[in-house]
Amino acid sequence: MTAITDNSIPVTPRAMRDEMIVFAIMAVLLAIVPLTGIYPFFVMQALCFALVACAFNLLIGYGGLLSFGHAMFLGTAGYVSAHALKVWGLSPELGILAGIAAAAALGVVTGFVSIRRQGIYFSMITLALSQLLYFIYLQTPFTHGEDGIQGIPQGHLFGIFDLSKSTTLYYVVLAGFLAGFLLIYRTINSPFGEVLKAIRENEPRAISLGYKTDQYKLLAYILSGTLAGFAGSLKVFVAQNASLTDVHWSMSGEIVLMTLVCGLGTVFGPVVGAFVIIAMQQYLAGFGQWVTVIQGVIFVACVLTFRRGLIGEIAHYFRISL
């Protein structure tokens, strides 16, 4: 029996072939960005948030767990990596690993607390934990409060790649994004991913078949948080700062928005959604606070018009898997 994704396309060898073709096209298009004259900072920022959105999609789109606190993984990894680079003087690769380790540890701790509840209770617990960390980081000396950690050195990755050069940094961020994306893709198309989908569709039935669903959900939660932390560590090199913005509840809302706009439970929907939201913030900045209103209108329009999300509707119309 083949598994069914949210856009109702069977996960068959043909579907996987379609997805790999689209992945190859996406990788090529992203690889030639420095040659097109497109502002690289915008694309690097979008790639970081695309990885966060894909990690979040792994949790909600395939595990059925709606987290309102994924910003805590993004922000925590950013703070730890920034502190490790600027204060401890670690190399870029060790700074990234420190951020990933911090996000993974946070996932273990918060996962044990939140995974015991379901539905809206799980969502509210993750939101509460995220806001708790926000106020802790606001008062903790190493984060420098509202000022954040500024002027983070970029250094040389593995002692070879000079991250102060925008082109080199771009390809490092791109490689990180593609590696994270492929890990998520492999996860959702593995036996572990199939069990997650079964839990999403009918958890009592999965329990009756002998699966320890809490363990699967906890592992999915930790993996999702760790990958979100990886994106936060990469973002530190792009923005050269770590601030409270990445830990605030509004950031968690943006991550949810990125995932839902273009297709929950689709492989490429979160990627497109992240680019759409970041592009709106970048090119509509002149409207000030009205950017949030415009995003809200677009979100409502997408929900009412595209029930499966933009990418989900395209995949359903052409009967392909995206």
Side-chain angles (χ1 to χ4, degrees), residues 15 55 65 73 94 104 109 119 143 155 222 320-321:
L65 297 172
F73 300 111
L94 293 180
V109 175
T143 65
I222 295 172
I320 59 176
S321 181

Side-chain angles (χ1 to χ4, degrees), residues 6-7 26 45-62 177 181 184-185 188 254-279 308-312 322:
D6 280 355
N7 58 356
M26 177 184 72
Q45 188 179 23
L47 287 174
C48 292
F49 281 107
L51 181 55
V52 179
C54 288
F56 176 74
N57 185 49
L58 170 65
L59 188 64
I60 183 176
Y62 297 94
F177 163 74
F181 182 91
I184 294 171
Y185 181 78
I188 63 180
E254 288 187 12
I255 294 171
V256 175
L257 187 62
M258 291 173 187
T259 307
L260 294 181
V261 163
C262 287
L264 179 67
T266 60
V267 178
F268 297 96
V271 179
V272 178
F275 272 84
V276 169
I277 298 301
I278 297 301
R308 302 176 181 86
L310 180 60
I311 298 299
L322 294 175

Side-chain angles (χ1 to χ4, degrees), residues 93-105:
E93 61 273 14
L94 293 180
I96 292 174
L97 288 176
I100 293 174

Side-chain angles (χ1 to χ4, degrees), residues 134-211:
Y134 171 82
F135 288 110
I136 290 175
Y137 291 150
L138 180 62
Q139 301 296 330
T140 303
F142 94 92
T143 65
H144 300 283
E146 295 182 351
D147 294 330
I149 304 177
Q150 308 288 336
I152 300 167
Q154 293 171 313
H156 289 71
L157 186 68
F158 302 119
I160 302 174
F161 304 105
D162 185 2
L163 299 183
S164 62
K165 297 180 179 179
S166 60
T167 302
T168 303
L169 178 60
Y170 174 82
Y171 283 114
V172 169
V173 172
L174 175 59
F177 163 74
L178 293 177
F181 182 91
L182 287 175
L183 177 59
I184 294 171
Y185 181 78
R186 182 67 186 91
T187 300
I188 63 180
N189 288 289
S190 68
F192 175 79
E194 295 301 321
V195 175
L196 279 183
K197 297 169 192 175
I199 294 172
R200 176 196 64 193
E201 297 298 329
N202 194 329
E203 185 172 353
R205 186 176 181 184
I207 294 174
S208 70
L209 293 174
Y211 293 108

Side-chain angles (χ1 to χ4, degrees), residues 200-283:
R200 176 196 64 193
E201 297 298 329
N202 194 329
E203 185 172 353
R205 186 176 181 184
I207 294 174
S208 70
L209 293 174
Y211 293 108
K212 297 180 179 179
T213 57
D214 283 349
Q215 294 183 5
Y216 280 91
K217 291 190 293 185
L218 177 60
L219 287 174
Y221 181 86
I222 295 172
L223 178 58
S224 178
T226 301
L227 287 169
F230 178 40
S233 294
L234 290 177
K235 184 175 177 293
V236 161
F237 293 94
V238 177
Q240 286 190 274
N241 70 76
S243 66
L244 288 169
T245 304
D246 290 340
V247 199
H248 197 261
W249 66 266
S250 59
M251 179 60 70
S252 294
E254 288 187 12
I255 294 171
V256 175
L257 187 62
M258 291 173 187
T259 307
L260 294 181
V261 163
C262 287
L264 179 67
T266 60
V267 178
F268 297 96
V271 179
V272 178
F275 272 84
V276 169
I277 298 301
I278 297 301
M280 289 171 56
Q281 294 175 348
Q282 181 81 20
Y283 297 106

